[in-house]
């Protein structure tokens, strides 16, 4: 099956239209494009923002249209558009040329250490470097050291290639080590295999790589190893970039007011660390249909299924135009299927409302009785963004509420198969807290008009998460087998039940861009946990400084 997909990719790549690679997640372009969508979406309609990562080609085309328009842009917006145009120079004519390239070949463009521009071949090569050090009060020095490179190339602007390799040395704050790295299912947040480095440190490679192509003008394919994200929020309850990258084939159709995406992916099942061995596989298939109802309103429908098979991918799920729940039932219901909805509404050129709703299982007769039946498994997100607060350019506010009922994303398994829970490489595919939680997030961002190279951010997160205890199953751990017989309570289940952990996190961060994609960072962070178990109460403070080049800032928390 795996080789069939690869051969299909190579075959379709011979007959392609213009195609870009994708902008890495969590880079500065995403916030700016979201601001432009809110403020100018009715003037220059933007492609569907809930589907991430963004294609570099359309990102450059949109930024160029905005930059050359007659709109009176703020100094910060002009600066940010120039950043996007520089960052996507292969799709922009004569914008990114450096006046004094070193030895005529080093940094011929502001955004590229080395570049090639011919009719047949285009290439961009950049180093990836990060050094971030953050002493944790009452504990050891935390650090994040990354060394690597990033390459993207195109053959006749039709067949695209992307490769990122970073060698990372990391020591997380003590709470991450205790709660994630050293817990029963050990993992490094957002990454795959790792090995120990000195005392309480981790050493791992962070790799991404894929190829992109078009079969026809409105049909894109991407095949490779990377992450995907669906939604307009800080979190996603549908599919997020929380877990490690995975192997996938993605089909994306853009026509009229519709964006339709199918992702077929190979995932790694839960495991315990030990001797080198081939880890068990499971598979995922996801559909997302986004419809632009008007220039200010988008509505999306999502469905996904996680399956576990000893003989590989279930071929029934390759059909990109079918309801997965019906296939799951026809096969004897061995898999874990979810459906969901999302929306985005821009208001008065200053605000945006967005949200998601996910159903794992749902029985209307049970929920109408308000009896807390364990099988009513759903999650909700509701968010609000407000730009230019109080008339101050680039002072932006985001508020977000996330809630997941107990047992959502879990699965009971069937016929002795591996659990088809909503996870990959011992990490959650949606929200990092899994299930049985409620969370409130507040983010304030500011970019001064007189110093657009500086970005300030204040973030606050409050969460209540109900954990399982020995001999009980309250639905907080999505790696556990779940069904009505195993649940501690069949009825009277509520969010935060079990052993409650109340978390408060606050972080102030400043980033100064002194050259394209080269930043100096400073952050002060505080996290406290108050638990029903007094011995597990704790608070942590760390102060960090760092430098980075061509890589997004990676928070040392989850």
């Amino acid at each position: 099956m795996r080789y069939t997909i690869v051969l299909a990719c190579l075959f379709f790549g011979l007959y392609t239209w213009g195609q870009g690679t994708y902008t890495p997640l969590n880079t500065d372009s995403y916030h700016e494009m979201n601001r432009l969508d809110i403020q100018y979406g009715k003037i220059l309609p933007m492609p569907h923002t809930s589907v991430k990562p963004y294609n570099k080609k359309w990102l450059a085309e949109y930024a160029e249209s905005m930059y050359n328009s007659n709109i009176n842009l703020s100094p910060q917006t002009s600066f940010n558009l120039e950043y996007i145009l520089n960052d996507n120079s292969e799709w922009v004519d004569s914008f990114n040329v450096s006046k004094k390239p070193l030895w005529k070949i080093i940094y011929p463009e502001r955004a590229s250490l080395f570049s090639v521009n011919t009719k047949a071949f285009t290439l961009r090569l950049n180093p990836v470097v990060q050094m971030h050090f953050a002493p944790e009060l009452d504990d050891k020095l935390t650090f994040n050291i990354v060394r690597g490179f990033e390459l993207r190339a195109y053959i006749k602007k039709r067949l695209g290639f992307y490769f990122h390799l970073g060698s990372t040395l990391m020591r997380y704050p003590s709470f991450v080590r205790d709660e994630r790295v050293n817990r029963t299912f050990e993992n490094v947040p957002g990454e795959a295999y790792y090995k120990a480095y000195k005392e309480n440190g981790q050493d791992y490679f962070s790799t991404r790589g894929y190829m992109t192509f078009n079969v026809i003008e409105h049909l894109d394919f991407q095949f490779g190893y990377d992450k995907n994200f669906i939604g307009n929020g800080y979190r996603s309850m549908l599919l997020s970039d929380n877990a490690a990258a995975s192997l996938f084939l993605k089909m994306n159709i853009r026509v009229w007011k519709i964006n339709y995406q199918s992702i077929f992916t190979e995932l790694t099942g839960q495991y315990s660390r030990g001797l080198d061995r081939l880890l068990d596989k499971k598979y995922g298939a996801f559909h997302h249909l986004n419809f632009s109802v008007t220039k200010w309103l988008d509505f999306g429908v999502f469905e996904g299924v996680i399956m576990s098979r000893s003989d590989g991918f279930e071929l029934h799920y390759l059909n990109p135009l079918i309801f997965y729940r019906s296939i799951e039932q026809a096969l004897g219901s061995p898999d874990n299927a979810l459906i969901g909805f999302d929306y985005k509404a821009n208001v008065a050129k200053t605000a945006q409302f967005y949200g998601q709703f996910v159903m794992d299982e749902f029985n209307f007769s049970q929920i109408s009785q308000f009896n807390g039946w364990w099988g009513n498994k759903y999650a909700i997100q509701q968010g609000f963004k407000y730009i230019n607060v109080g008339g101050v350019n680039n002072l932006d506010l985001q508020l977000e509420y996330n809630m997941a009922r107990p047992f959502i994303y879990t699965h009971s398994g069937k016929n002795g198969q591996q659990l088809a829970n909503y996870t990959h490489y011992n990490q959650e595919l949606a929200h990092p807290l899994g299930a049985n939680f409620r969370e409130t997030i507040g983010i304030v961002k500011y970019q001064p008009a007189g110093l657009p190279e500086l970005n300030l951010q204040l973030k606050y997160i409050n969460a209540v998460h109900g954990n399982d205890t020995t001999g009980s199953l309250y639905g907080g751990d999505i790696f556990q087998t779940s069904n009505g017989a195993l649940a501690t309570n069949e009825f009277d289940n509520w969010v935060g039940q079990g052993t409650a952990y109340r978390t408060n996190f606050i972080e102030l961060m400043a980033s100064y861009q002194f050259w394209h994609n080269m930043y100096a960072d400073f952050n002060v962070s505080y996290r406290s946990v108050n638990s029903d178990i007094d011995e597990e109460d704790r608070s942590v403070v760390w102060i960090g400084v760092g430098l980075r080049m061509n890589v997004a800032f990676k928070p040392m928390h989850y």
Side-chain angles (χ1 to χ4, degrees), residues 414-460:
K414 189 172 182 179
N415 300 328
Q417 296 177 3
Q418 179 189 351
L419 295 180
N421 46 31
Y422 208 64
T423 66
H424 166 53
Y425 227 105
N426 290 350
Q427 298 159 67
E428 300 81 356
L429 280 172
H431 196 288
L433 290 179
N436 192 20
F437 70 87
R438 58 182 179 271
E439 174 190 56
T440 303
I441 301 172
I443 301 174
V444 178
K445 293 185 177 183
Y446 180 56
Q447 185 180 17
L451 194 63
E453 297 87 354
L454 178 64
N455 280 279
L456 304 173
Q457 176 179 277
L458 178 65
K459 181 190 302 178
Y460 173 71

Side-chain angles (χ1 to χ4, degrees), residues 21-25 27 29-30 53-56 59 87-88 210:
T21 55
Y22 292 83
T23 300
L25 292 167
T27 54
S29 298
Y30 286 87
Y54 294 160
N55 184 289
K56 278 182 166 290
L59 196 67
D87 208 46
N88 301 280
Y210 56 80

Side-chain angles (χ1 to χ4, degrees), residues 92 123 131 134 136 143 146 153 175 179 191 235 250 275 277 285 303 333 405 414 456 461 484 529:
V92 181
L123 180 143
M131 296 179 292
E136 179 182 330
F143 55 81
V146 180
F175 73 89
E179 298 173 15
E191 302 294 341
R235 311 283 198 192
K250 179 164 65 177
L275 298 175
R277 64 196 188 280
E303 63 173 343
S333 194
R405 275 192 50 82
K414 189 172 182 179
L456 304 173
I461 300 176
V529 176

Side-chain angles (χ1 to χ4, degrees), residues 151-165:
L151 180 150
R152 62 184 189 270
Y154 310 89
I155 298 176
K156 291 189 174 181
K157 294 287 184 73
R158 295 183 175 184
L159 187 63
F161 303 89
Y162 177 84
F163 182 68
H164 169 102
L165 173 63

Side-chain angles (χ1 to χ4, degrees), residues 74-91:
S74 69
Q76 300 98 314
T77 299
S78 295
F79 176 87
N80 294 333
L81 287 174
E82 290 180 9
Y83 168 87
I84 293 172
L85 293 171
N86 282 324
D87 208 46
N88 301 280
S89 61
E90 61 267 40
W91 300 104

